Amino acid sequence: MSLATQIMDSMKEAMRAKDTVALEALRAIKSEILLAQTASGSKEEISEADEIKILQKLVKMRKDSASIFTEQNRADLAEPELAQIAVIEKFLPAQLSEAEVEAIVAKIIAETGASGIAAMGKVMGLAATQIGGQAEGKTISTIVKKLLV
């Protein structure tokens, strides 16, 4: 079942349950998917990798907003953002732990013989393709820097 179909089904459930937070998050996902489809100029469905990127972008936006609201002592605004993150993450693949990401990155470094910070781009590219949506780019970047230095 495509992500768009899953989102529509979840939207119907959220409407029936009168869950406004979930409904808002699901509408945001649907909106971003539609924007991505129309940006390419075709009515074809976008790839699964693009869908994952969209979901990760939405989660990152909400995490950033929640942290800003928390810094400003606005828990009333941070809570809905955190609740929306939980809704969006249901559609993402299971996330790898830092130890698992570190093991994958260490294997890539050993296979390529990369050393020094100059090889970071090469290692990041390979890691991003292998991990593919199962970890945040910031986490991967931090681990690559730690292992290459």
Side-chain angles (χ1 to χ4, degrees), residues 15-94:
M15 284 181 200
R16 287 185 196 116
K18 297 188 185 344
D19 186 351
T20 57
V21 173
L23 191 57
E24 188 176 335
L26 294 166
R27 283 182 174 150
I29 296 170
K30 182 180 175 191
S31 171
E32 286 293 323
I33 290 172
L34 287 173
L35 284 172
Q37 284 176 337
T38 56
S40 65
S42 66
K43 292 287 184 186
E44 297 175 18
E45 296 216 1
I46 57 176
S47 70
E48 188 173 332
D50 290 337
E51 290 173 346
I52 290 172
K53 286 179 186 175
I54 290 170
L55 293 174
Q56 287 177 326
K57 179 180 123 184
L58 290 170
V59 168
K60 184 181 182 316
M61 286 173 27
R62 278 156 182 76
K63 282 183 180 177
D64 292 345
S65 296
S67 68
I68 290 169
F69 292 144
T70 303
E71 288 172 10
Q72 297 175 348
N73 296 323
R74 293 295 310 261
D76 59 319
L77 296 175
E79 288 175 19
E81 296 291 329
L82 296 172
Q84 286 185 23
I85 290 170
V87 172
I88 296 168
E89 285 180 338
K90 291 178 188 175
F91 299 100
L92 281 170

Side-chain angles (χ1 to χ4, degrees), residues 97-148:
S97 69
E98 283 193 29
E100 292 170 320
V101 173
E102 191 167 339
I104 292 170
V105 170
K107 181 181 171 198
I108 291 170
I109 291 172
E111 288 174 357
T112 60
S115 63
I117 202 73
M120 184 172 173
K122 180 179 178 182
V123 175
M124 279 295 296
L126 292 169
T129 56
Q130 281 190 15
I131 295 171
Q134 295 177 320
E136 286 185 5
K138 185 177 180 180
T139 305
I140 297 170
S141 174
T142 304
I143 291 171
V144 169
K145 282 180 188 172
K146 182 175 87 171
L147 294 177
L148 283 178

